[in-house]
Each structure stands twice: as C-alpha cells, then as structure tokens.
Amino acid sequence: KLEQIHPNKNQPRQDLETHIDKLKESIEQEGLLQPIIVAHIKDKPGHYIIVAGHRRYKAHQELNLKTIKAIVNPGTLTAEQLDEKALLENLQRENLSNVEIAETLFKLNKDKSFNVAKIEKLTGYKKTQIYGYIKCHQGIKNNEITKDQLLKLGLKNCLKFLDGEIFPPGGIQEKNSNS
C-alpha cells in the first residue's frame, strides 16, 4: 500500500517533476512497468523506505492510487547503506544534471567506504571525471561558481573556469539562496 511507503529524505535526484505528466499518463494506460525498490524501516514494522523509484511513487500519489508494485530489499538497510544504494541507483539513470552528478559523486567520495577507485568501478565514470565533478561541487559550495553556471557550462568548461582559463557566459553572478 502506498501509505506504508515513505520517500528517502536523502534522495539525490532533485528534479522529480520533469516528465511526471508523461509518466502518469503511461501508468494510467499501461500500468507500472517497473516496480519501485523499497527497504524495511527498522523502527517502523510494516513500513518501507524507497531505495529506487521516487518519481514512480510520486506519480502514483498524484494519481491517487492506493497501491504500487514494489520489490522489497531483503533484510534491513542501515541509513548509510540506503543512501549508498540510492546514490548509485541514481547515477545509473539518464538525464541527471551535472549538478546532481557532482553532488552524488561528492557524497559517495565523502563516505569513508567509497574511494575514487571504488566509485570508478561501480559507476563507470573515469577518475578524471569523478575528480572533476567533485571539484565543481566544491566550487559551488565555496561560491566560486553557481549551480546554474555548472548546468550551462558543462563539466569541462566548469573546470576551465575554476582554473581561471575561461570566463563564464553571462559573467560571474552572485550566488543566491536558490542556487
């Protein structure tokens, strides 16, 4: 039942709205083609947290459906394991923005059990890409570049900008609280 399932607050994918109407239409016409993946909530028997499938869950909510097909992850995941699974699952998705990739790789690298070599093996990203995304994420955190600039510039040009090789289109913008 949908009421027993809860979103992961640490869900790395920020944009759950893109193409949600197409997804809802598809679910209405064809049903859910791929079940969501959930894990038991340790201190809440009979309730589950989403590991993968937040957009499908949201579409079901918006359609006022009472149930959703789900695969239950065996055992109970720690909060750390849940976050790792969500991060890795999202990196396998299409259409992640450079900002989402940078934040996800930074979070994985920050975790003591994930070094760059392990991230490279699990994700297929090259070490230089991983380090580049992490550098861009740090640039955002240090107000050296905005999320919008990373989206517009792309990884390669963002790194060039951070290294002082190019000036971003539109000039340097003040970082606001929405970035």
Side-chain angles (χ1 to χ4, degrees):
K1 291 183 179 183
L2 216 57
E3 64 192 29
Q4 295 172 283
I5 299 172
H6 308 279
N8 179 355
K9 293 175 187 163
N10 295 325
Q11 157 66 8
R13 189 173 204 122
Q14 297 167 359
D15 180 12
L16 297 177
E17 296 298 325
T18 301
H19 306 297
I20 194 82
D21 290 332
K22 284 184 182 179
L23 179 57
K24 289 185 334 191
E25 186 178 317
S26 171
I27 290 169
E28 284 180 313
Q29 292 176 1
E30 306 291 330
L32 184 62
L33 300 178
Q34 184 179 6
I36 65 171
I37 300 172
V38 297
H40 295 276
I41 297 177
K42 188 176 182 177
D43 56 353
K44 207 169 183 183
H47 286 259
Y48 306 89
I49 191 161
I50 300 171
V51 176
H54 283 80
R55 288 182 66 249
R56 288 168 272 161
Y57 169 81
K58 183 169 178 51
H60 273 67
Q61 277 186 315
E62 290 183 11
L63 290 168
N64 294 314
L65 299 174
K66 303 289 182 222
T67 61
I68 187 169
K69 293 178 192 172
I71 297 171
V72 180
N73 194 70
T76 303
L77 298 176
T78 65
E80 190 174 274
Q81 290 170 323
L82 179 65
D83 288 348
E84 288 172 8
K85 281 186 175 284
L87 291 168
L88 290 171
E89 189 271 336
N90 271 290
L91 283 175
Q92 296 169 359
R93 294 277 175 215
E94 293 180 16
N95 301 326
L96 279 182
S97 73
N98 282 329
V99 171
E100 291 169 320
I101 294 169
E103 289 176 354
T104 300
L105 292 174
F106 176 81
K107 286 177 184 176
L108 281 173
N109 188 59
K110 189 175 161 187
D111 184 329
K112 292 175 180 59
S113 63
F114 278 85
N115 59 30
V116 171
K118 186 173 180 180
I119 295 169
E120 180 182 37
K121 185 177 179 182
L122 290 170
T123 65
Y125 284 97
K126 295 178 183 169
K127 285 181 186 176
T128 54
Q129 290 174 298
I130 296 166
Y131 284 121
Y133 278 116
I134 291 169
K135 183 175 182 174
C136 289
H137 176 77
Q138 290 168 330
I140 291 168
K141 292 294 177 200
N142 296 333
N143 294 324
E144 297 168 323
I145 193 165
T146 65
K147 289 180 180 182
D148 190 50
Q149 287 171 326
L150 173 54
L151 292 171
K152 289 178 183 173
L153 289 170
L155 177 63
K156 185 177 176 183
N157 285 329
C158 175
L159 293 171
K160 285 182 178 182
F161 168 70
L162 290 171
D163 290 338
E165 296 176 27
I166 64 168
F167 196 72
I172 298 175
Q173 302 164 4
E174 288 296 318
K175 183 172 174 136
N176 64 40
S177 60
N178 294 332
S179 294

